[in-house]
Amino acid sequence: MNEIASRYAGALVSIAKEENKLEEYKQAILDMKNYLDANPELFKFLKSYFVKDEQKILVVEELTKSFELKNLANFMNVLVTKHKIFIFKDIVKEITKGINQELDIDEGFVYSIEPLENSKILEISSAISKKLNKKVELKNKIDESLIGGIKVVVHDNIFDGSIKYKLETMKEELKERRTTNEN
């Protein structure tokens, strides 16, 4: 299934690149995903084999008209008529990955014990981008084991400001001192 998602995603990334609208397509496809996530009945309608393609196309046209991207509706219509809309989330992941690669953007995660506000995530992304000299986009993930603070992971780079990490570091330092003092 990933191969299919990759092929469809690759097609849209190529179109976005050709139109020189990579960021616009990325945002539009993420907005579509969020809208379909928030409206599961609509997503169910688009996936249904019992609904005529013409009806689905009318709905897709309505959903995509505000984006002003001429090929977005065509892309979504292909997914609907070829019955590939059921893997839409996988396709969106692949599109995001492909466009980020084209734009030289790294993706990462900011772990916290509770959800962070978007403004805080953007602030952290900006700081990490400066450290890495590269644009970084972060997604928030919850990790209650951190006790407090945050941990940011971007590929092989880990920026750990969590209380858990600080406690572990102190523990190791104390062990080292004990060993040194005993000798």
Side-chain angles (χ1 to χ4, degrees), residues 17-138:
K17 189 175 177 181
E18 188 176 297
E19 292 180 17
N20 199 25
K21 293 187 176 186
L22 289 162
E23 290 180 6
E24 292 89 338
Y25 272 96
K26 178 181 167 185
Q27 190 57 55
I29 210 74
L30 289 171
D31 289 348
M32 289 290 297
K33 179 198 168 294
N34 291 337
Y35 190 78
L36 291 174
D37 285 347
N39 296 284
E41 288 299 315
L42 177 60
F43 191 55
K44 190 176 176 181
F45 172 85
L46 293 173
K47 290 190 301 186
S48 176
Y49 282 89
F50 301 108
V51 177
K52 291 183 179 180
D53 287 345
E54 295 80 23
Q55 292 174 299
K56 293 178 193 177
I57 289 170
L58 289 174
V59 170
V60 166
E61 296 292 332
E62 189 63 31
L63 287 172
T64 58
K65 73 179 179 183
S66 66
F67 292 109
E68 297 178 17
L69 298 168
K70 62 182 179 181
N71 286 303
L72 183 63
N74 295 340
F75 179 75
M76 294 299 294
N77 284 333
V78 167
L79 294 180
V80 166
T81 57
K82 298 287 184 186
H83 302 286
K84 301 298 182 208
I85 194 75
F86 74 96
I87 58 170
F88 186 62
K89 289 179 184 181
D90 293 329
I91 293 169
V92 170
K93 284 180 190 173
E94 293 295 321
I95 289 169
T96 303
K97 190 165 65 174
I99 289 177
N100 282 348
Q101 196 170 17
E102 289 291 330
L103 296 173
D104 199 29
I105 297 172
D106 277 348
E107 293 179 342
F109 296 98
V110 56
Y111 295 90
S112 60
I113 60 168
E114 57 187 31
L116 299 174
E117 291 183 17
N118 283 339
S119 60
K120 189 66 177 171
I121 296 169
L122 290 173
E123 183 182 319
I124 296 165
S125 292
S126 178
I128 299 298
S129 294
K130 285 178 186 170
K131 277 194 180 289
L132 297 177
N133 286 329
K134 187 172 194 169
K135 184 164 182 184
V136 174
E137 290 182 353
L138 298 174

